[in-house]
Amino acid sequence: RATLFACSTSIPHKDAMLQILDILLNVIGPLFLFIGVAVFLGHRFRPDPRGFSVILIYFFIPALVFRGISRSPLEGPEMAGLLGVVVGVMIVSVLLGLLIERWQHYDARTGGALVLSVLLMNAANYGVPVNVFAYGPEAEQRAIIYYVGSMIFGNAAAVYFASRGHGSLRKALRNVAGVPITYAALAGLIVNLADWTLPLPLERALNIAADGAIPGMLALLGLTLAHTHWNARWKPVLLAMGVRLVIAPLVAVPLALLFGLSGLSFQVAVTQSAMPTAVLTNALASQFGSDAELTAAATLASTLASVVTLTIIISLLRI
């Protein structure tokens, strides 16, 4: 009888270990293989990440945002609830980042990079597949809606904080107005609501650029990491990780309940809120003179640590 009990308890444990191994190998593993190649090329050829970030910010990423919003099922109370969670989590994250900046007496450049690191979560190339793996294919649309919300509400603030420590307030606001990501989001929303179909040549060109956005962002992360110096950077990185990986999903729980989310939508909202720092932070930091080394370190460290935190969060949400 004791042997049978031991066998029965070992099966769930074995399934849990297989799930963790599958996430490591099939979701996170390819990501780090890609980044590792970019790091090697960065060390070998020493390209300037700033020039590459221009192509991403002004072409590839706007195309990705436009396509994601124009094709998203933007309707229903669940959509409103998911967007409400996005806005609430981002507001709390920014406020906490500013409090940490003041508490630690960081200069505007470092503080801006820290706020950037807690504001933008990797809800696209990391968040969508993780949610699909954890909760099934029905989670994909909800995860995309969350990602679209993070793009709409997060990019203007992100550009501002990336620019804040490198020039005047007027220049920072001018940078916000000059970045096409927000305009791409609005254009995608108009196309979605109007149910328009783009001319085939334009649609195909946008698809080519959109398909290149995620590998481009991962390549930029690797190039930035190749130039990163790790000395005395762990304190702001750990603080950013704490907000992004722990506090943000804790904030998402009452917000999701407040907006009436339940079941799969509740699970996706909390899980997406727990995603690590987005690769986009490195493109913005490189382009607008923020502390790109800090954002790169926060992106890498939070992505590594998220293997543990996301496993715990997903396990709790499945109970």
Side-chain angles (χ1 to χ4, degrees):
R1 195 181 307 170
T3 303
L4 288 173
F5 178 76
C7 291
S8 65
T9 56
S10 67
I11 292 175
H13 176 72
K14 183 178 180 180
D15 290 342
M17 293 302 296
L18 288 174
Q19 284 187 351
I20 294 172
L21 184 62
D22 194 33
I23 291 174
L24 287 171
L25 292 179
N26 298 323
V27 177
I28 300 174
L31 179 83
F32 284 101
L33 286 174
F34 193 109
I35 294 171
V37 172
V39 170
F40 169 77
L41 294 175
H43 279 296
R44 177 69 177 82
F45 298 104
R46 311 300 293 179
D48 183 6
R50 188 181 176 92
F52 190 45
S53 70
V54 173
I55 301 174
L56 283 171
I57 292 175
Y58 291 95
F59 185 30
F60 283 15
I61 295 173
L64 178 66
V65 171
F66 175 86
R67 186 176 70 177
I69 295 177
S70 64
R71 295 182 179 180
S72 293
L74 298 175
E75 58 182 2
E78 282 186 321
M79 183 273 291
L82 288 166
L83 296 180
V85 173
V86 173
V87 175
V89 167
M90 286 185 161
I91 290 173
V92 172
S93 298
V94 168
L95 292 176
L96 288 174
L98 293 173
L99 287 174
I100 292 172
E101 176 187 357
R102 176 167 293 188
W103 169 45
Q104 293 295 315
H105 304 290
Y106 292 141
D107 57 42
R109 185 170 179 267
T110 301
L114 187 142
V115 173
L116 200 63
S117 299
V118 302
L119 171 63
L120 295 180
M121 71 285 291
N122 199 354
N125 55 319
Y126 192 4
V128 173
V130 165
N131 277 278
V132 171
F133 171 78
Y135 310 119
E138 296 83 6
E140 183 174 9
Q141 288 186 344
R142 294 166 174 85
I144 290 175
I145 289 173
Y146 189 105
Y147 157 66
V148 168
S150 70
M151 288 287 96
I152 293 174
F153 299 112
N155 278 294
V159 173
Y160 169 76
F161 284 108
S163 308
R164 192 169 56 113
H166 196 72
S168 64
L169 175 62
R170 179 178 296 179
K171 183 177 180 180
L173 294 175
R174 193 184 308 125
N175 287 336
V176 173
V179 171
I181 296 174
T182 303
Y183 306 126
L186 294 174
L189 182 62
I190 293 171
V191 170
N192 187 298
L193 295 176
D195 197 23
W196 289 342
T197 300
L198 296 178
L200 187 59
L202 178 59
E203 181 181 7
R204 287 179 172 175
L206 287 172
N207 284 335
I208 292 171
D211 290 340
I214 289 176
M217 287 188 286
L218 294 176
L220 177 65
L221 174 59
L223 296 178
T224 306
L225 289 174
H227 295 79
T228 299
H229 302 288
W230 297 92
N231 295 333
R233 306 302 297 169
W234 284 110
K235 191 169 186 179
V237 169
L238 289 174
L239 290 170
M241 284 173 53
V243 175
R244 181 90 301 282
L245 299 179
V246 179
I247 296 178
L250 290 177
V251 170
V253 171
L255 285 174
L257 294 173
L258 177 66
F259 287 106
L261 297 181
S262 61
L264 185 57
S265 293
F266 179 88
Q267 292 172 317
V268 170
V270 176
T271 304
Q272 283 285 63
S273 300
M275 287 298 138
T277 300
V279 181
L280 177 60
T281 59
N282 306 288
L284 294 174
S286 297
Q287 176 63 23
F288 296 114
S290 187
D291 192 339
E293 291 187 353
L294 174 57
T295 59
T299 302
L300 177 61
S302 64
T303 302
L304 289 171
S306 70
V307 178
V308 176
T309 56
L310 282 173
T311 300
I312 295 172
I313 289 170
I314 292 170
S315 299
L316 292 173
L317 288 171
R318 281 175 164 179
I319 295 176

